[in-house]
Every structure is written in C-alpha cells, then in structure tokens.
Amino acid sequence: MKSPKIAGTSPIKVELEKGKRYAWCTCGESTNQPFCDGKHKPAGEYSPLVFVAEESKTVHLCTCKQTKNPGFCDGAHKSL
Ligand code: FES
C-alpha cells in the first residue's frame, strides 16, 4: 500500500454535530478535506474512516494523514 497523500500541513477546524455521521478521508486525495469525496475508489487501497459524533464539539481534523489518532490532529504535521 502506498503512503497516503499529504493533503495539507495543518488541521481543519470542524464543528461536529452529535449523532451526525462523518467520513474522514484517509487517502489524502479528496478535494473536500478533511472529508472523503470518493476519490479513493480508483486505487482501491483506502477507504474513509466513518464515525458518528458522540457529542457536539469543535475538533481539529487531520489533513496531513500522518496522525496516530486517525481522524484527529495529533501534531504530526509539525514534523513534516
Ligand atoms: S477520498 Fe480519501 S478516503 Fe475517500
């Protein structure tokens, strides 16, 4: 499996809504970062990380795709 594309070098602040479903892009190819737009499908190596927000809150979602806490920024972009 090739490494995911680095889609950005800083996280994107998102207001999650409790009970809403999200699909975080894992491949880095989406033009709708940090969310999946289906561009992972041709290569077939990646699939989005789908999750339902357990509470409404502000989060910072990863765009560099190097995070060890998938979906969420862990500061990994700072060492790129
Ligand atoms: S476009 Fe990247 S996981 Fe779907």
Side-chain angles (χ1 to χ4, degrees):
M1 179 185 273
K2 69 173 185 162
S3 298
K5 177 182 171 184
I6 296 171
T9 54
S10 60
I12 295 178
K13 185 177 170 182
V14 175
E15 309 284 338
L16 297 181
E17 290 177 41
K18 182 180 180 179
K20 188 173 174 184
R21 184 175 170 272
Y22 297 90
W24 178 68
C25 170
T26 60
C27 73
E29 300 291 343
S30 174
T31 53
N32 185 35
Q33 291 296 326
F35 301 112
C36 173
D37 68 356
K39 288 198 178 66
H40 63 274
K41 291 178 182 171
E45 291 184 284
Y46 289 91
S47 55
L49 174 73
V50 177
F51 65 96
V52 175
E54 294 179 1
E55 59 183 313
S56 294
K57 64 178 179 179
T58 303
V59 297
H60 290 83
L61 296 182
C62 172
T63 61
C64 75
K65 312 305 174 186
Q66 310 300 307
T67 181
K68 297 285 189 278
N69 183 22
F72 302 92
C73 176
D74 70 352
H77 62 276
K78 293 176 186 167
S79 49
L80 292 176

